[in-house]
């Protein structure tokens, strides 16, 4: 077994109870490990690196829904545009424009989530409320023809302070609720997904709890 089957079933049932989608984060993990999970019925997988995602997509079943959850560079959008199911951490207008352009070339609307800044740490990426509002105004004016902005994604601070994590998720949830066109709220990882589900997440991204710890850097 390359995966932690008991953890997987446990997380999956907690997600199902909340009508949340479980994205299995398979970055740095082998094709064999992904196949094991696939055979247990898992279809949503998340990757952080474009090259790795493209290689895996070629080798694995075509009904896998591939989520891009890493930091996407504008010049790499082209490589994933034909097949990506959802791009999570979008945080600039320039990137949205490029995704739209590549969507057009591939004759599809590419679903994305805006990454919101919720952590108090300096290091985390993301848009503030004003920036989200400006992007949604442009979206309403149909500025981005081949992109569907489906919701928000966020990461809490890397801390043991559970109260702070809850506050950060709760503030993201509050922003998310202001836009009735939003369907997806992607928040919660191995260390904090239970709090995220309690605070209204409907998409969790779980790596190490399912696949074991990663040895290579994120
Ligand atoms: C790696 C990663 C995850 C999964 O992290 P775990 O702590 O291993 O569950 C989730 N979201 C993003 C954006 C990631 O980069």
């Amino acid at each position: 077994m390359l995966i932690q089957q008991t953890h997987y079933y446990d997380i999956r049932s907690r997600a199902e109870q909340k009508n949340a989608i479980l994205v299995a984060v398979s970055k740095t993990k082998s094709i064999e490990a992904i196949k094991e999970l696939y055979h247990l019925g898992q279809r949503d997988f998340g990757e952080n690196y474009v090259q790795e995602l493209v290689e895996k997509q070629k080798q694995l079943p075509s009904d896998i829904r591939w989520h891009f959850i890493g930091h996407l560079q504008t010049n790499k959008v082209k490589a994933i545009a034909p097949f990506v199911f959802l791009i999570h951490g979008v945080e600039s207008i320039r990137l949205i424009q490029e995704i739209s352009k590549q969507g057009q070339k591939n004759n599809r609307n590419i679903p994305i989530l805006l990454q919101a800044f919720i952590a108090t740490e300096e290091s985390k990426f993301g848009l503030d409320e004003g920036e989200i509002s400006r992007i949604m105004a442009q979206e309403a004016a149909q500025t981005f023809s081949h992109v569907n902005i489906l919701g928000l994604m966020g990461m809490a601070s890397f801390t043991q302070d559970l109260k702070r994590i809850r506050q950060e998720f709760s503030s993201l949830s509050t922003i998310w609720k202001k836009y009735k066109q939003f369907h997806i709220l992607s928040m919660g990882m191995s260390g904090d997904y239970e709090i995220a589900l309690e605070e209204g997440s409907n998409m969790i991204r779980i790596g190490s709890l399912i696949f074991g710890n990663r040895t290579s850097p994120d």
Side-chain angles (χ1 to χ4, degrees):
M1 269 281 153
L2 296 165
I3 56 160
Q4 321 216 29
Q5 194 170 334
T6 319
H7 282 166
Y8 170 64
Y9 282 128
D10 179 49
I11 299 164
R12 193 167 89 175
S13 81
R14 284 166 195 257
E16 275 166 8
Q17 277 165 29
K18 297 273 188 179
N19 283 319
I21 291 169
L22 164 59
V23 178
V25 177
S26 49
K27 61 183 173 212
T28 79
K29 299 297 173 180
S30 68
I31 296 285
E32 288 66 36
I34 296 174
K35 278 185 182 161
E36 272 188 21
L37 207 56
Y38 179 89
H39 289 303
L40 300 181
Q42 181 66 24
R43 289 296 178 271
D44 290 275
F45 288 89
E47 290 282 341
N48 287 53
Y49 311 102
V50 167
Q51 204 46 47
E52 185 180 347
L53 169 55
V54 168
E55 287 307 315
K56 285 175 170 171
Q57 192 267 343
K58 278 188 228 158
Q59 297 175 58
L60 284 155
S62 61
D63 63 341
I64 288 182
R65 295 183 286 264
W66 290 106
H67 297 246
F68 188 82
I69 65 169
H71 189 67
L72 183 57
Q73 288 170 280
T74 320
N75 61 350
K76 303 263 174 77
V77 175
K78 205 184 345 201
I80 61 172
F83 66 86
V84 71
F85 179 73
L86 179 63
I87 300 175
H88 290 232
V90 178
E91 51 179 3
S92 77
I93 289 183
R94 208 166 75 88
L95 184 57
I96 300 175
Q97 285 166 339
E98 177 62 15
I99 295 170
S100 184
K101 184 175 142 197
Q102 296 302 331
Q104 183 162 27
K105 283 189 178 163
N106 287 278
N107 205 10
R108 63 181 295 229
N109 289 347
I110 300 178
I112 68 168
L113 302 178
L114 302 177
Q115 182 160 358
F117 176 84
I118 49 167
T120 33
E121 277 170 28
E122 294 296 314
S123 61
K124 297 275 157 102
F125 299 104
L127 302 157
D128 65 30
E129 238 193 298
E131 291 167 323
I132 292 170
S133 149
R134 282 192 288 279
I135 289 172
M136 292 314 289
Q138 291 199 39
E139 160 83 349
Q142 296 175 342
T143 311
F144 317 116
S145 62
H146 288 75
V147 162
N148 284 340
I149 305 178
L150 294 187
L152 300 177
M153 177 268 208
M155 278 192 271
S157 294
F158 187 70
T159 171
Q160 303 300 321
D161 183 350
L162 301 184
K163 219 175 118 196
R164 185 160 129 200
I165 292 173
R166 186 177 295 280
Q167 277 163 1
E168 291 174 357
F169 284 151
S170 162
S171 74
L172 180 57
S173 208
T174 303
I175 300 170
W176 180 77
K177 283 182 192 137
K178 290 183 184 164
Y179 297 89
K180 61 176 188 305
Q181 63 267 58
F182 282 169
H183 301 291
I184 299 176
L185 178 56
S186 167
M187 61 182 196
M189 308 174 27
S190 290
D192 55 24
Y193 79 94
E194 286 163 293
I195 301 175
L197 287 173
E198 283 166 12
E199 295 302 326
S201 168
N202 60 20
M203 185 173 276
I204 54 175
R205 311 175 309 270
I206 311 292
S208 41
L209 265 187
I210 297 174
F211 288 105
N213 287 327
R214 288 176 296 273
T215 43
S216 6
D218 290 359

